[in-house]
Amino acid sequence: MSEQTETGALRLENVTKIFGQGSNQVRAVDDVSLTIQSGEFVTLLGPSGCGKTTTLRLIAGFEFPTSGRLLLDEKDIANVPPNLRPMAMVFQSYALFPHLNVFENVAYGLRLRKMSEAEIKEAVNIVLHMMNLVGLERRNPNQLSGGQQQRVALARAMVMKPKLLLFDEPLSNLDAKLRTQMRIEIRRLQQRMGITSVYVTHDQMEAMSLSDRVVVMNHGKIEQVGTPEEIYQRPATMFVADFIGRANFVETDVLALDGRLAIVDVYGQKVELACSPEIRVGQKAYAMIRPEAINLSSRTSDYMADVKTAVYLGNSVEYEVEIEQNLLKVVDYDPTPGVMFREGSFVSMTFDPERSYLLPK
Ligand code: ATP
């Protein structure tokens, strides 16, 4: 087996973290079990307070679980203090040493390991090169832009060759354009180094673009673990469907089932939709229809909708249309020049069943 496949596999077994006591008790992490493969990039995603930071801090050793086990390469790490865990963390605040220059910031951990000067120089220069920081070695952090500081923080983590790289919302302080650029750099670097990574964010675009798998959390629990495609196209719950992208939910009856396909009635139209394994015949369910799965046209059909709002955004047009007293979000990502439905117009509506999904009510 290669060194890569032997290292950095992480397992959380029924991990719970309770803060406070009595009526002030908060179950920040609630019976979370998760296996992260060696070399995998996994993101913990969820709204504020869902427990993602606490989960990361438990992995890092800054917090201890109330119950449950954490295993790194099948070894229980409960009693290993944070500084002795083979992990490195990149923080939102960069956390660079202000009095040390770029080279010394990156070299810091290697000096603690008592490596020779020649080895340190070689290792630091390799990561500075990888992070496009060559030429900035002698600058102090206050002479760097936010993006450059975050690159130094990343270089400082990478140079240690950790088994596990932990990221706590590292891009939140950067502007939108730089965030997108850094996302690409982090992904490229992680794939090249093959270091198992756990990344915390509340930004779904960040999670989708960086991750092999995304863990969606809510109220301390895992709602779903899946690839970006799985969580977007086949959300396990309405919470996931609503949190990842935008979704319309249309209440419907399940008329028949054929394996993982259900026949349902959506606005009088019988359609076949892929469905959650929990769906049963005869129950009420929700058809999740993404805004981009709905098509509007000026033809006349049985499914006519009222255009309530129409917003032109250049590369797309966003509509809200009303049908049978439901307001649906619609996005046209390929608007034909000159063809935009005006507010107050009456349009024909169809939707693509292949890009929709049936969830239990
Ligand atoms: P955010 O995106 O706002 O950082 P989060 O998803 O990372 O949120 P956590 O920081 O893990 O959420 O917090 C989960 C819950 O635990 C919250 O209700 C929070 O108030 C609570 N909590 C976190 N740390 C502590 C603590 N040290 N003492 C008491 N409660 C805490």
Side-chain angles (χ1 to χ4, degrees):
M1 209 190 275
S2 76
E3 193 195 358
Q4 214 49 267
T5 54
E6 287 170 26
T7 58
L10 181 74
R11 200 145 60 84
L12 278 68
E13 270 183 13
N14 308 102
V15 172
T16 292
K17 176 67 187 179
I18 299 171
F19 288 113
Q21 294 190 330
S23 57
N24 289 326
Q25 216 174 60
V26 179
R27 208 170 258 272
V29 178
D30 193 359
D31 197 23
V32 162
S33 294
L34 176 69
T35 300
I36 299 176
Q37 310 294 342
S38 169
E40 207 180 7
F41 197 114
V42 168
T43 298
L44 308 179
L45 173 71
S48 182
C50 72
K52 53 195 186 298
T53 307
T54 305
T55 305
L56 195 76
R57 290 174 57 80
L58 286 163
I59 297 169
F62 300 140
E63 302 286 356
F64 286 91
T66 309
S67 59
R69 295 205 310 159
L70 277 130
L71 301 120
L72 184 64
D73 293 328
E74 292 307 311
K75 283 189 209 81
D76 196 325
I77 52 170
N79 295 316
V80 182
N83 58 326
L84 296 181
R85 294 189 184 193
M87 306 177 183
M89 190 144 163
V90 182
F91 299 90
Q92 182 179 349
S93 59
Y94 318 136
L96 298 176
F97 302 115
H99 59 290
L100 297 182
N101 66 26
V102 168
F103 186 95
E104 288 305 326
N105 259 286
V106 178
Y108 187 82
L110 301 180
R111 290 204 189 286
L112 290 184
R113 280 187 188 169
K114 306 257 185 290
M115 280 169 66
S116 77
E117 203 54 42
E119 284 172 324
I120 291 174
K121 205 164 172 190
E122 191 190 348
V124 172
N125 282 336
I126 288 173
V127 291
L128 290 180
H129 198 263
M130 275 166 55
M131 295 307 304
N132 289 326
L133 288 166
V134 175
L136 302 176
E137 294 87 339
R138 304 286 149 223
R139 290 209 201 162
N140 276 11
N142 64 3
Q143 298 169 310
L144 299 174
S145 71
Q148 288 166 337
Q149 288 183 55
Q150 195 51 292
R151 277 210 197 92
V152 177
L154 204 55
R156 191 179 56 176
M158 290 279 187
V159 82
M160 303 303 288
K161 297 207 170 107
K163 282 189 176 186
L164 204 58
L165 204 47
L166 307 177
F167 295 89
D168 185 8
E169 306 234 13
L171 306 184
S172 308
N173 289 342
L174 305 178
D175 67 53
K177 208 165 174 181
L178 201 54
R179 261 204 320 260
T180 312
Q181 194 185 324
M182 284 295 287
R183 265 190 336 229
I184 296 166
E185 282 190 39
I186 290 176
R187 183 65 177 150
R188 182 178 51 84
L189 209 65
Q190 191 270 343
Q191 283 183 328
R192 194 162 140 197
M193 307 278 288
I195 303 174
T196 314
S197 300
V198 186
Y199 191 102
V200 159
T201 185
H202 60 266
D203 180 334
Q204 43 145 322
M205 292 296 281
E206 216 162 281
M208 301 283 275
S209 58
L210 278 167
S211 319
D212 293 310
R213 285 188 305 154
V214 179
V215 178
V216 184
M217 294 186 69
N218 188 26
H219 296 307
K221 286 187 177 293
I222 293 180
E223 291 263 335
Q224 185 171 9
V225 183
T227 63
E229 290 89 344
E230 281 163 356
I231 59 164
Y232 189 75
Q233 292 165 12
R234 302 286 179 258
T237 61
M238 287 178 71
F239 173 83
V240 176
D242 207 30
F243 191 74
I244 309 293
R246 289 181 295 167
N248 297 297
F249 297 104
V250 178
E251 197 179 317
T252 175
D253 294 304
V254 183
L255 304 175
L257 266 180
D258 179 7
R260 291 291 297 276
L261 286 176
I263 315 281
V264 292
D265 182 328
V266 178
Y267 299 128
Q269 195 180 354
K270 281 200 181 45
V271 286
E272 219 176 43
L273 296 186
C275 67
S276 143
E278 289 160 48
I279 292 288
R280 302 284 172 265
V281 176
Q283 81 176 165
K284 290 254 181 237
Y286 278 111
M288 182 215 62
I289 308 174
R290 295 284 182 198
E292 68 273 17
I294 300 180
N295 283 308
L296 304 180
S297 83
S298 52
R299 289 192 314 261
T300 308
S301 77
D302 291 344
Y303 313 105
M304 298 300 286
D306 251 331
V307 177
K308 291 290 178 192
T309 60
V311 180
Y312 179 72
L313 294 170
N315 65 344
S316 66
V317 183
E318 301 204 345
Y319 298 99
E320 274 182 318
V321 301
E322 192 179 86
I323 180 165
E324 293 182 12
Q325 280 142 25
N326 282 336
L327 211 52
L328 302 181
K329 299 179 266 280
V330 180
V331 181
D332 181 358
Y333 281 116
D334 188 20
T336 313
V339 181
M340 180 173 152
F341 302 106
R342 301 283 155 202
E343 286 167 18
S345 57
F346 215 40
V347 293
S348 162
M349 192 198 90
T350 54
F351 75 96
D352 182 359
E354 302 231 328
R355 287 193 285 165
S356 304
Y357 193 59
L358 197 68
L359 288 165
K361 192 170 171 184

